[in-house]
Amino acid sequence: QVQLVESGGGSVQAGGSLRLSCVASGRSFSSYAMGWFRQAPGKEREFVATITWNGGSTYYADSVKGRFTISRNIAKNTMYLQMNSLKPEDTAVYYCAARPYGVLRRPTEADYWGQGTQVTVSS
């Protein structure tokens, strides 16, 4: 059974940092594009960042560019999201997702989802 499990969420003050992890199990994700999405209360799920299957390319939402960094360790089947200079508007449940090859920029493109991890940024 394929599983994506996020961890690393929590509560921080504005300007702080968090590092999210997403561990994939049940199959090798070495040929999968992976990404992070987030959903705030009352809002639609939105794209945050994506990384290609080999880690060669990364893409970010404008709202997080320059503050967040996505990376992956293929051997460990793990993806990361380093979040710096956090703002209250970054508060949301963060989800990791995966799809075969390509990139992952829309929720409808994902084949697999994690259960989400809460990130709360206070001012």
Side-chain angles (χ1 to χ4, degrees):
Q1 183 178 358
V2 173
Q3 272 194 317
L4 299 177
V5 179
E6 304 96 333
S7 62
S11 296
V12 295
Q13 289 193 325
S17 298
L18 284 173
R19 189 194 196 203
L20 305 183
S21 298
C22 172
V23 179
S25 63
R27 64 162 297 143
S28 171
F29 279 78
S30 60
S31 61
Y32 276 61
M34 299 187 75
W36 290 96
F37 293 80
R38 67 187 181 186
Q39 188 166 17
K43 295 188 176 181
E44 293 186 350
R45 192 167 298 189
E46 65 175 7
F47 166 74
V48 175
T50 186
I51 188 166
T52 51
W53 66 275
N54 61 355
S57 296
T58 57
Y59 302 91
Y60 298 90
D62 288 343
S63 59
V64 307
K65 205 172 292 184
R67 300 187 297 121
F68 291 10
T69 303
I70 189 172
S71 61
R72 68 188 296 175
N73 185 320
I74 295 173
K76 293 185 177 181
N77 253 9
T78 302
M79 175 179 64
Y80 306 96
L81 186 68
Q82 178 65 44
M83 305 186 295
N84 298 327
S85 301
L86 282 161
K87 304 175 181 180
E89 49 264 43
D90 294 319
T91 295
V93 177
Y94 283 71
Y95 298 90
C96 71
R99 63 158 288 173
Y101 295 107
V103 292
L104 189 50
R105 295 185 182 181
R106 297 182 179 84
T108 53
E109 295 173 340
D111 284 355
Y112 301 104
W113 288 98
Q115 84 290 346
T117 185
Q118 176 70 46
V119 171
T120 303
V121 185
S122 58
S123 57

